[in-house]
Short mmCIF file of all heavy atoms in Angstrom, two decimals:
data_model
loop_
_atom_site.label_atom_id
_atom_site.label_comp_id
_atom_site.label_asym_id
_atom_site.label_seq_id
_atom_site.Cartn_x
_atom_site.Cartn_y
_atom_site.Cartn_z
N MET A 1 -36.99 -13.78 -11.56
CA MET A 1 -35.84 -13.20 -11.13
C MET A 1 -34.58 -14.03 -11.26
O MET A 1 -34.58 -15.12 -11.18
CB MET A 1 -35.94 -12.85 -9.57
CG MET A 1 -35.15 -11.92 -9.05
SD MET A 1 -35.72 -11.23 -7.53
CE MET A 1 -35.37 -12.65 -6.24
N ALA A 2 -33.51 -13.41 -11.62
CA ALA A 2 -32.27 -14.23 -11.98
C ALA A 2 -31.66 -14.73 -10.63
O ALA A 2 -31.41 -14.02 -9.77
CB ALA A 2 -31.25 -13.21 -12.69
N ASN A 3 -31.40 -16.00 -10.82
CA ASN A 3 -30.85 -16.70 -9.58
C ASN A 3 -29.65 -17.39 -9.94
O ASN A 3 -29.62 -18.14 -11.05
CB ASN A 3 -31.74 -17.65 -8.88
CG ASN A 3 -32.47 -16.85 -7.77
OD1 ASN A 3 -31.95 -16.07 -7.06
ND2 ASN A 3 -33.71 -17.27 -7.57
N PRO A 4 -28.56 -17.57 -9.25
CA PRO A 4 -27.40 -18.55 -9.46
C PRO A 4 -27.93 -20.05 -9.48
O PRO A 4 -28.71 -20.34 -8.54
CB PRO A 4 -26.33 -18.24 -8.45
CG PRO A 4 -27.05 -17.66 -7.42
CD PRO A 4 -28.26 -16.90 -8.00
N LYS A 5 -27.55 -20.87 -10.47
CA LYS A 5 -28.16 -22.21 -10.52
C LYS A 5 -27.47 -23.12 -9.42
O LYS A 5 -28.12 -23.94 -8.89
CB LYS A 5 -27.83 -22.76 -11.82
CG LYS A 5 -28.75 -24.12 -12.16
CD LYS A 5 -28.59 -24.41 -13.62
CE LYS A 5 -29.73 -25.44 -13.98
NZ LYS A 5 -29.67 -25.63 -15.49
N LYS A 6 -26.15 -22.87 -9.09
CA LYS A 6 -25.52 -23.65 -8.11
C LYS A 6 -24.84 -22.72 -7.13
O LYS A 6 -24.54 -21.62 -7.36
CB LYS A 6 -24.37 -24.50 -8.82
CG LYS A 6 -24.88 -25.54 -9.67
CD LYS A 6 -25.18 -26.83 -8.89
CE LYS A 6 -25.94 -27.85 -9.77
NZ LYS A 6 -25.19 -28.45 -10.77
N LYS A 7 -24.80 -23.30 -5.91
CA LYS A 7 -24.00 -22.61 -4.81
C LYS A 7 -22.64 -22.35 -5.09
O LYS A 7 -21.84 -23.30 -5.64
CB LYS A 7 -24.22 -23.29 -3.47
CG LYS A 7 -23.35 -22.86 -2.40
CD LYS A 7 -23.50 -23.65 -1.14
CE LYS A 7 -22.71 -23.27 0.04
NZ LYS A 7 -22.88 -24.21 1.20
N THR A 8 -21.95 -21.21 -4.96
CA THR A 8 -20.56 -20.95 -5.05
C THR A 8 -19.82 -21.59 -3.86
O THR A 8 -20.08 -20.99 -2.72
CB THR A 8 -20.27 -19.39 -5.24
OG1 THR A 8 -21.03 -18.99 -6.31
CG2 THR A 8 -18.75 -19.27 -5.49
N THR A 9 -19.10 -22.59 -4.08
CA THR A 9 -18.38 -23.16 -2.81
C THR A 9 -17.16 -22.34 -2.35
O THR A 9 -16.71 -21.42 -3.11
CB THR A 9 -17.85 -24.60 -3.24
OG1 THR A 9 -16.89 -24.48 -4.36
CG2 THR A 9 -19.00 -25.44 -3.68
N LYS A 10 -16.74 -22.59 -1.15
CA LYS A 10 -15.50 -21.86 -0.68
C LYS A 10 -14.35 -22.13 -1.50
O LYS A 10 -13.51 -21.14 -1.85
CB LYS A 10 -15.25 -22.45 0.79
CG LYS A 10 -16.20 -22.12 1.82
CD LYS A 10 -15.86 -22.78 3.06
CE LYS A 10 -16.98 -22.60 4.10
NZ LYS A 10 -16.62 -23.47 5.30
N SER A 11 -14.26 -23.26 -2.13
CA SER A 11 -13.12 -23.64 -3.05
C SER A 11 -13.07 -22.76 -4.30
O SER A 11 -12.20 -22.13 -4.77
CB SER A 11 -13.06 -25.03 -3.38
OG SER A 11 -12.23 -25.37 -4.49
N ARG A 12 -14.35 -22.63 -4.87
CA ARG A 12 -14.51 -22.01 -6.08
C ARG A 12 -14.25 -20.46 -5.91
O ARG A 12 -13.72 -19.67 -6.74
CB ARG A 12 -15.84 -22.23 -6.77
CG ARG A 12 -15.97 -21.85 -8.17
CD ARG A 12 -16.97 -22.65 -8.95
NE ARG A 12 -16.24 -23.96 -9.50
CZ ARG A 12 -15.35 -24.06 -10.46
NH1 ARG A 12 -14.91 -23.01 -11.11
NH2 ARG A 12 -14.94 -25.25 -10.74
N LYS A 13 -14.89 -19.87 -4.81
CA LYS A 13 -14.78 -18.54 -4.46
C LYS A 13 -13.26 -18.24 -4.20
O LYS A 13 -12.75 -17.18 -4.70
CB LYS A 13 -15.48 -18.36 -3.14
CG LYS A 13 -15.49 -16.90 -2.71
CD LYS A 13 -16.24 -16.83 -1.34
CE LYS A 13 -16.08 -15.46 -0.70
NZ LYS A 13 -16.70 -15.36 0.65
N GLY A 14 -12.40 -19.17 -3.53
CA GLY A 14 -11.07 -18.88 -3.29
C GLY A 14 -10.31 -18.93 -4.63
O GLY A 14 -9.39 -18.14 -4.90
N MET A 15 -10.68 -19.79 -5.61
CA MET A 15 -9.97 -19.92 -6.98
C MET A 15 -10.21 -18.65 -7.65
O MET A 15 -9.30 -18.14 -8.55
CB MET A 15 -10.41 -21.06 -7.69
CG MET A 15 -9.91 -22.37 -7.24
SD MET A 15 -10.24 -23.70 -8.37
CE MET A 15 -11.96 -24.10 -8.00
N ARG A 16 -11.39 -18.07 -7.49
CA ARG A 16 -11.68 -16.71 -8.19
C ARG A 16 -10.99 -15.50 -7.60
O ARG A 16 -10.59 -14.59 -8.37
CB ARG A 16 -13.22 -16.62 -8.16
CG ARG A 16 -13.67 -15.40 -9.13
CD ARG A 16 -15.27 -15.22 -9.13
NE ARG A 16 -15.66 -14.77 -7.86
CZ ARG A 16 -16.47 -15.40 -7.06
NH1 ARG A 16 -17.19 -16.58 -7.49
NH2 ARG A 16 -17.12 -14.91 -5.95
N GLN A 17 -10.91 -15.60 -6.28
CA GLN A 17 -10.34 -14.33 -5.52
C GLN A 17 -8.81 -14.46 -5.23
O GLN A 17 -8.29 -13.36 -4.74
CB GLN A 17 -11.00 -14.12 -4.34
CG GLN A 17 -12.55 -13.77 -4.52
CD GLN A 17 -13.31 -13.56 -3.29
OE1 GLN A 17 -12.82 -13.98 -2.21
NE2 GLN A 17 -14.49 -13.00 -3.23
N TRP A 18 -8.14 -15.48 -5.56
CA TRP A 18 -6.64 -15.65 -5.24
C TRP A 18 -5.87 -14.49 -5.79
O TRP A 18 -4.92 -13.97 -5.14
CB TRP A 18 -6.06 -16.93 -5.58
CG TRP A 18 -5.87 -17.04 -7.13
CD1 TRP A 18 -6.81 -17.46 -8.00
CD2 TRP A 18 -4.83 -16.72 -7.82
NE1 TRP A 18 -6.23 -17.52 -9.09
CE2 TRP A 18 -5.11 -17.06 -9.16
CE3 TRP A 18 -3.53 -16.21 -7.61
CZ2 TRP A 18 -4.16 -16.85 -10.23
CZ3 TRP A 18 -2.64 -16.11 -8.63
CH2 TRP A 18 -2.94 -16.36 -9.95
N LYS A 19 -6.33 -13.99 -6.92
CA LYS A 19 -5.37 -13.07 -7.69
C LYS A 19 -5.57 -11.71 -7.14
O LYS A 19 -4.82 -10.88 -7.28
CB LYS A 19 -5.68 -13.05 -9.20
CG LYS A 19 -7.14 -13.12 -9.54
CD LYS A 19 -7.25 -12.97 -10.94
CE LYS A 19 -8.22 -13.98 -11.67
NZ LYS A 19 -9.40 -14.42 -11.13
N GLU A 20 -6.59 -11.42 -6.31
CA GLU A 20 -6.86 -10.15 -5.73
C GLU A 20 -5.92 -9.90 -4.59
O GLU A 20 -5.50 -8.70 -4.27
CB GLU A 20 -8.33 -10.06 -5.26
CG GLU A 20 -9.20 -9.94 -6.33
CD GLU A 20 -10.71 -10.28 -5.91
OE1 GLU A 20 -10.96 -9.97 -4.61
OE2 GLU A 20 -11.50 -10.44 -6.72
N LYS A 21 -5.41 -11.10 -3.92
CA LYS A 21 -4.64 -10.87 -2.81
C LYS A 21 -3.15 -10.63 -3.01
O LYS A 21 -2.38 -10.05 -2.26
CB LYS A 21 -4.69 -12.21 -1.88
CG LYS A 21 -6.08 -12.36 -1.34
CD LYS A 21 -6.13 -13.58 -0.34
CE LYS A 21 -7.44 -13.74 0.27
NZ LYS A 21 -7.69 -14.98 1.04
N ILE A 22 -2.66 -11.09 -4.13
CA ILE A 22 -1.32 -11.08 -4.51
C ILE A 22 -0.88 -9.63 -5.24
O ILE A 22 0.23 -9.47 -5.41
CB ILE A 22 -0.77 -12.18 -5.23
CG1 ILE A 22 -1.43 -12.30 -6.57
CG2 ILE A 22 -0.86 -13.46 -4.49
CD1 ILE A 22 -0.86 -13.28 -7.62
N SER A 23 -1.94 -8.85 -5.52
CA SER A 23 -1.48 -7.69 -6.30
C SER A 23 -0.77 -6.74 -5.31
O SER A 23 -1.16 -6.52 -4.13
CB SER A 23 -2.88 -6.97 -6.77
OG SER A 23 -3.57 -6.68 -5.76
N SER A 24 0.24 -6.06 -5.80
CA SER A 24 1.05 -5.21 -5.06
C SER A 24 0.41 -3.70 -4.91
O SER A 24 -0.36 -3.42 -5.87
CB SER A 24 2.44 -5.06 -5.70
OG SER A 24 2.32 -4.55 -6.85
N PRO A 25 0.65 -2.93 -3.91
CA PRO A 25 0.04 -1.74 -3.74
C PRO A 25 0.53 -0.73 -4.81
O PRO A 25 1.70 -0.91 -5.18
CB PRO A 25 0.35 -1.24 -2.25
CG PRO A 25 1.71 -2.03 -1.98
CD PRO A 25 1.50 -3.29 -2.68
N ASN A 26 -0.31 0.19 -5.06
CA ASN A 26 0.01 1.26 -6.10
C ASN A 26 1.03 2.30 -5.36
O ASN A 26 0.76 2.63 -4.28
CB ASN A 26 -1.21 1.96 -6.66
CG ASN A 26 -0.85 2.91 -7.76
OD1 ASN A 26 0.04 2.65 -8.49
ND2 ASN A 26 -1.69 3.92 -7.82
N LEU A 27 2.14 2.54 -6.04
CA LEU A 27 3.04 3.48 -5.47
C LEU A 27 3.46 4.68 -6.45
O LEU A 27 3.45 4.47 -7.61
CB LEU A 27 4.53 2.68 -5.27
CG LEU A 27 4.35 1.56 -4.17
CD1 LEU A 27 5.68 0.90 -4.21
CD2 LEU A 27 4.14 2.23 -2.80
N VAL A 28 3.72 5.83 -5.81
CA VAL A 28 4.00 7.08 -6.55
C VAL A 28 5.34 7.50 -5.97
O VAL A 28 5.68 7.18 -4.82
CB VAL A 28 2.95 8.05 -6.59
CG1 VAL A 28 1.66 7.66 -7.34
CG2 VAL A 28 2.62 8.47 -5.19
N GLU A 29 6.13 8.29 -6.72
CA GLU A 29 7.32 8.84 -6.36
C GLU A 29 7.05 10.10 -5.60
O GLU A 29 6.40 11.06 -5.88
CB GLU A 29 8.28 9.26 -7.52
CG GLU A 29 9.66 9.57 -7.22
CD GLU A 29 10.46 9.80 -8.45
OE1 GLU A 29 10.19 9.24 -9.53
OE2 GLU A 29 11.31 10.76 -8.41
N CYS A 30 7.68 10.25 -4.38
CA CYS A 30 7.67 11.39 -3.60
C CYS A 30 8.35 12.68 -4.25
O CYS A 30 9.44 12.42 -4.65
CB CYS A 30 8.28 11.21 -2.11
SG CYS A 30 8.37 12.77 -1.19
N PRO A 31 7.65 13.74 -4.44
CA PRO A 31 8.22 14.91 -5.17
C PRO A 31 9.41 15.62 -4.44
O PRO A 31 10.24 16.22 -5.03
CB PRO A 31 7.08 15.89 -5.45
CG PRO A 31 6.13 15.46 -4.40
CD PRO A 31 6.24 14.08 -4.06
N HIS A 32 9.44 15.32 -3.12
CA HIS A 32 10.47 15.97 -2.24
C HIS A 32 11.76 15.07 -2.16
O HIS A 32 12.77 15.56 -2.43
CB HIS A 32 9.95 16.33 -0.97
CG HIS A 32 10.81 17.07 -0.06
ND1 HIS A 32 11.52 16.53 0.94
CD2 HIS A 32 11.23 18.34 -0.04
CE1 HIS A 32 12.21 17.46 1.51
NE2 HIS A 32 12.02 18.59 0.84
N CYS A 33 11.67 13.71 -1.77
CA CYS A 33 12.71 12.90 -1.64
C CYS A 33 12.89 11.84 -2.65
O CYS A 33 13.90 11.14 -2.63
CB CYS A 33 12.83 12.44 -0.20
SG CYS A 33 11.47 11.16 0.09
N HIS A 34 11.92 11.78 -3.48
CA HIS A 34 11.94 10.68 -4.57
C HIS A 34 11.98 9.26 -4.19
O HIS A 34 12.46 8.44 -4.90
CB HIS A 34 13.17 11.07 -5.54
CG HIS A 34 13.17 12.31 -6.01
ND1 HIS A 34 12.24 12.92 -6.98
CD2 HIS A 34 13.92 13.49 -5.62
CE1 HIS A 34 12.45 14.11 -7.29
NE2 HIS A 34 13.40 14.51 -6.48
N HIS A 35 11.53 9.02 -2.83
CA HIS A 35 11.30 7.67 -2.55
C HIS A 35 10.00 7.21 -3.14
O HIS A 35 9.10 8.05 -3.49
CB HIS A 35 11.17 7.45 -0.96
CG HIS A 35 12.48 7.29 -0.41
ND1 HIS A 35 13.29 8.38 0.17
CD2 HIS A 35 13.21 6.19 -0.25
CE1 HIS A 35 14.31 7.78 0.62
NE2 HIS A 35 14.40 6.57 0.45
N LEU A 36 9.59 5.94 -3.18
CA LEU A 36 8.40 5.42 -3.55
C LEU A 36 7.47 5.37 -2.37
O LEU A 36 7.85 4.68 -1.34
CB LEU A 36 8.47 3.99 -4.22
CG LEU A 36 9.13 3.87 -5.59
CD1 LEU A 36 9.33 2.59 -6.01
CD2 LEU A 36 8.26 4.69 -6.57
N VAL A 37 6.29 6.10 -2.45
CA VAL A 37 5.32 6.17 -1.31
C VAL A 37 3.95 5.89 -1.72
O VAL A 37 3.65 5.95 -2.95
CB VAL A 37 5.38 7.60 -0.67
CG1 VAL A 37 6.90 7.75 0.10
CG2 VAL A 37 5.12 8.64 -1.55
N LEU A 38 3.00 5.58 -0.87
CA LEU A 38 1.70 5.48 -1.08
C LEU A 38 0.97 6.78 -1.48
O LEU A 38 1.31 7.75 -0.98
CB LEU A 38 0.94 4.80 0.21
CG LEU A 38 1.22 3.40 0.52
CD1 LEU A 38 0.65 3.17 1.88
CD2 LEU A 38 0.76 2.47 -0.52
N PRO A 39 0.11 6.70 -2.60
CA PRO A 39 -0.52 8.02 -3.02
C PRO A 39 -1.48 8.48 -2.00
O PRO A 39 -2.07 7.71 -1.15
CB PRO A 39 -1.27 7.51 -4.30
CG PRO A 39 -1.40 6.13 -4.15
CD PRO A 39 -0.32 5.61 -3.44
N HIS A 40 -1.54 9.74 -1.79
CA HIS A 40 -2.51 10.47 -0.81
C HIS A 40 -2.08 10.11 0.60
O HIS A 40 -2.98 10.16 1.49
CB HIS A 40 -3.80 10.18 -1.11
CG HIS A 40 -4.39 10.29 -2.56
ND1 HIS A 40 -4.52 11.57 -3.11
CD2 HIS A 40 -4.58 9.38 -3.53
CE1 HIS A 40 -4.74 11.42 -4.32
NE2 HIS A 40 -4.88 10.16 -4.63
N HIS A 41 -0.81 9.97 0.84
CA HIS A 41 -0.35 9.64 2.16
C HIS A 41 0.95 10.59 2.54
O HIS A 41 1.60 10.95 1.43
CB HIS A 41 0.10 8.19 2.41
CG HIS A 41 -0.96 7.19 2.60
ND1 HIS A 41 -1.85 6.89 1.60
CD2 HIS A 41 -1.45 6.61 3.73
CE1 HIS A 41 -2.73 6.09 2.05
NE2 HIS A 41 -2.46 5.88 3.38
N VAL A 42 1.20 11.01 3.77
CA VAL A 42 2.32 11.67 4.08
C VAL A 42 3.52 10.65 3.75
O VAL A 42 3.59 9.55 4.22
CB VAL A 42 2.27 12.08 5.65
CG1 VAL A 42 3.65 12.77 6.01
CG2 VAL A 42 1.22 13.01 5.82
N CYS A 43 4.64 11.31 3.20
CA CYS A 43 5.89 10.51 2.94
C CYS A 43 6.50 10.05 4.21
O CYS A 43 6.83 10.98 5.15
CB CYS A 43 6.93 11.38 2.14
SG CYS A 43 8.28 10.51 1.80
N PRO A 44 6.68 8.80 4.43
CA PRO A 44 7.40 8.37 5.69
C PRO A 44 8.83 8.57 5.77
O PRO A 44 9.46 8.48 6.80
CB PRO A 44 7.07 6.95 5.75
CG PRO A 44 6.92 6.49 4.34
CD PRO A 44 6.35 7.60 3.66
N TYR A 45 9.45 8.97 4.64
CA TYR A 45 10.88 9.32 4.61
C TYR A 45 11.17 10.65 5.02
O TYR A 45 12.26 10.96 5.62
CB TYR A 45 11.44 8.86 3.23
CG TYR A 45 11.21 7.43 3.02
CD1 TYR A 45 10.16 7.06 2.15
CD2 TYR A 45 11.99 6.40 3.42
CE1 TYR A 45 9.83 5.68 1.74
CE2 TYR A 45 11.78 5.11 3.20
CZ TYR A 45 10.70 4.71 2.35
OH TYR A 45 10.40 3.45 2.00
N CYS A 46 10.39 11.77 4.47
CA CYS A 46 10.76 13.01 4.75
C CYS A 46 9.64 13.85 5.44
O CYS A 46 9.84 14.91 5.79
CB CYS A 46 11.13 13.75 3.35
SG CYS A 46 9.81 13.81 2.17
N GLY A 47 8.44 13.25 5.52
CA GLY A 47 7.40 13.89 6.31
C GLY A 47 6.71 14.94 5.47
O GLY A 47 5.92 15.69 6.17
N TYR A 48 6.87 14.93 4.23
CA TYR A 48 6.23 16.12 3.37
C TYR A 48 4.93 15.52 2.74
O TYR A 48 4.78 14.38 2.43
CB TYR A 48 7.20 16.42 2.24
CG TYR A 48 8.21 17.49 2.54
CD1 TYR A 48 9.10 17.45 3.53
CD2 TYR A 48 8.01 18.86 1.98
CE1 TYR A 48 9.92 18.42 3.85
CE2 TYR A 48 8.81 19.87 2.23
CZ TYR A 48 9.82 19.70 3.17
OH TYR A 48 10.63 20.73 3.46
N TYR A 49 4.06 16.45 2.66
CA TYR A 49 2.75 16.14 1.96
C TYR A 49 2.24 17.40 1.24
O TYR A 49 2.17 18.56 1.87
CB TYR A 49 1.75 15.53 2.84
CG TYR A 49 0.45 15.12 2.04
CD1 TYR A 49 0.50 13.90 1.28
CD2 TYR A 49 -0.66 15.90 2.01
CE1 TYR A 49 -0.66 13.62 0.49
CE2 TYR A 49 -1.85 15.47 1.27
CZ TYR A 49 -1.71 14.32 0.49
OH TYR A 49 -2.84 13.91 -0.19
N ASN A 50 2.01 17.38 0.06
CA ASN A 50 1.44 18.51 -0.81
C ASN A 50 2.53 19.65 -0.75
O ASN A 50 2.11 20.85 -0.73
CB ASN A 50 0.17 18.91 -0.24
CG ASN A 50 -0.67 19.52 -1.29
OD1 ASN A 50 -0.48 19.60 -2.44
ND2 ASN A 50 -1.82 20.21 -1.01
N GLY A 51 3.79 19.29 -0.77
CA GLY A 51 4.81 20.32 -1.01
C GLY A 51 5.17 20.91 0.33
O GLY A 51 5.91 22.05 0.30
N ARG A 52 4.85 20.57 1.43
CA ARG A 52 5.14 21.24 2.60
C ARG A 52 5.25 20.24 3.88
O ARG A 52 4.75 18.99 3.78
CB ARG A 52 4.19 22.21 3.12
CG ARG A 52 2.70 21.71 3.31
CD ARG A 52 1.75 22.75 3.45
NE ARG A 52 0.28 22.12 3.69
CZ ARG A 52 -0.06 21.86 4.86
NH1 ARG A 52 0.56 22.05 5.91
NH2 ARG A 52 -1.30 21.34 4.93
N PRO A 53 6.24 20.45 4.85
CA PRO A 53 6.48 19.36 5.90
C PRO A 53 5.21 19.22 6.90
O PRO A 53 4.62 20.32 7.16
CB PRO A 53 7.58 19.97 6.68
CG PRO A 53 7.66 21.43 6.22
CD PRO A 53 7.10 21.58 4.92
N VAL A 54 4.81 18.03 6.95
CA VAL A 54 3.50 17.78 7.84
C VAL A 54 3.99 17.07 9.15
O VAL A 54 3.52 17.57 10.30
CB VAL A 54 2.60 16.89 7.19
CG1 VAL A 54 1.34 16.70 7.92
CG2 VAL A 54 2.19 17.45 5.74
N ILE A 55 4.89 16.13 9.24
CA ILE A 55 5.28 15.56 10.34
C ILE A 55 6.84 15.58 10.40
O ILE A 55 7.44 15.73 9.42
CB ILE A 55 4.85 14.07 10.29
CG1 ILE A 55 5.27 13.27 9.13
CG2 ILE A 55 3.36 13.98 10.58
CD1 ILE A 55 5.11 11.79 9.31
N VAL A 56 7.36 15.57 11.65
CA VAL A 56 8.82 15.36 11.87
C VAL A 56 9.27 13.91 11.92
O VAL A 56 8.65 13.06 12.62
CB VAL A 56 9.28 16.13 13.14
CG1 VAL A 56 10.72 15.99 13.29
CG2 VAL A 56 8.86 17.54 13.03
N VAL A 57 10.13 13.65 10.87
CA VAL A 57 10.60 12.13 10.82
C VAL A 57 11.87 11.98 11.56
O VAL A 57 12.87 12.84 11.29
CB VAL A 57 10.77 11.80 9.25
CG1 VAL A 57 11.15 10.51 9.20
CG2 VAL A 57 9.43 11.94 8.54
N GLU A 58 11.98 11.07 12.39
CA GLU A 58 13.27 10.82 13.09
C GLU A 58 14.16 10.06 12.19
O GLU A 58 13.70 9.14 11.52
CB GLU A 58 12.83 9.87 14.27
CG GLU A 58 12.14 10.63 15.31
CD GLU A 58 11.76 9.75 16.53
OE1 GLU A 58 12.50 8.72 16.71
OE2 GLU A 58 10.63 10.07 17.29
N LYS A 59 15.35 10.40 12.06
CA LYS A 59 16.27 9.88 11.04
C LYS A 59 17.11 8.79 11.47
O LYS A 59 17.91 8.84 12.30
CB LYS A 59 17.24 11.04 10.40
CG LYS A 59 16.25 12.05 9.79
CD LYS A 59 17.28 13.13 9.07
CE LYS A 59 16.51 14.13 8.28
NZ LYS A 59 17.37 15.31 7.81
N LYS A 60 16.94 7.62 10.74
CA LYS A 60 17.80 6.50 10.78
C LYS A 60 18.36 5.99 12.18
O LYS A 60 19.39 5.66 12.31
CB LYS A 60 19.09 6.86 9.95
CG LYS A 60 18.73 7.12 8.45
CD LYS A 60 20.04 7.38 7.67
CE LYS A 60 19.82 7.79 6.21
NZ LYS A 60 20.93 8.19 5.54
N LYS A 61 17.40 5.84 13.06
CA LYS A 61 17.67 5.29 14.43
C LYS A 61 18.02 3.87 14.29
O LYS A 61 19.06 3.47 15.02
CB LYS A 61 16.72 5.70 15.47
CG LYS A 61 16.86 6.98 16.03
CD LYS A 61 15.85 7.23 17.31
CE LYS A 61 16.18 8.51 17.80
NZ LYS A 61 15.39 8.80 19.07
N LYS A 62 17.20 3.10 13.63
CA LYS A 62 17.34 1.58 13.60
C LYS A 62 18.60 1.24 12.86
O LYS A 62 19.23 0.27 13.06
CB LYS A 62 16.09 1.04 12.87
CG LYS A 62 14.94 1.10 13.73
CD LYS A 62 13.81 0.39 13.20
CE LYS A 62 12.57 0.49 14.10
NZ LYS A 62 11.28 -0.23 13.56
N LYS A 63 18.84 2.01 11.71
CA LYS A 63 20.04 1.65 10.82
C LYS A 63 21.34 1.96 11.64
O LYS A 63 22.25 1.04 11.43
CB LYS A 63 19.99 2.48 9.45
CG LYS A 63 19.06 2.00 8.69
CD LYS A 63 19.04 2.75 7.27
CE LYS A 63 18.08 2.10 6.29
NZ LYS A 63 18.15 2.85 4.92
N GLU A 64 21.44 2.99 12.48
CA GLU A 64 22.57 3.10 13.19
C GLU A 64 22.91 2.15 14.36
O GLU A 64 24.10 1.78 14.51
CB GLU A 64 22.51 4.52 13.88
CG GLU A 64 22.70 5.75 12.98
CD GLU A 64 22.42 6.99 13.60
OE1 GLU A 64 22.26 7.15 14.86
OE2 GLU A 64 22.48 8.00 12.86
N LYS A 65 21.88 1.47 14.84
CA LYS A 65 21.99 0.36 15.74
C LYS A 65 22.53 -0.85 15.11
O LYS A 65 23.32 -1.51 15.63
CB LYS A 65 20.69 0.10 16.57
CG LYS A 65 20.27 1.13 17.58
CD LYS A 65 18.96 0.87 18.29
CE LYS A 65 18.59 1.91 19.28
NZ LYS A 65 17.30 1.59 19.90
N ALA A 66 22.02 -1.02 13.90
CA ALA A 66 22.42 -2.28 13.28
C ALA A 66 23.85 -2.18 12.68
O ALA A 66 24.58 -3.23 12.67
CB ALA A 66 21.43 -2.46 12.03
N ALA A 67 24.34 -1.02 12.35
CA ALA A 67 25.65 -0.77 11.70
C ALA A 67 26.60 -0.71 12.89
O ALA A 67 26.72 -1.13 13.85
CB ALA A 67 25.57 0.40 10.83
ZN1 ZN B 1 9.51 12.21 0.60
#
């Protein structure tokens, strides 16, 4: 039976896996408002999914307080 010859240390495992953590999430353009959104998710900007409104999005409350 095939066995690894040496134990994989925490250091070596970390060196192998560091690049998996820094990859950015895949983004697609919302067909309704053209923001970049996560695929297969309701758009957080307009509340549309699959061409119809799913949730009601409250508009720009935080930006009005800051400005
Ligand atoms: Zn949208």
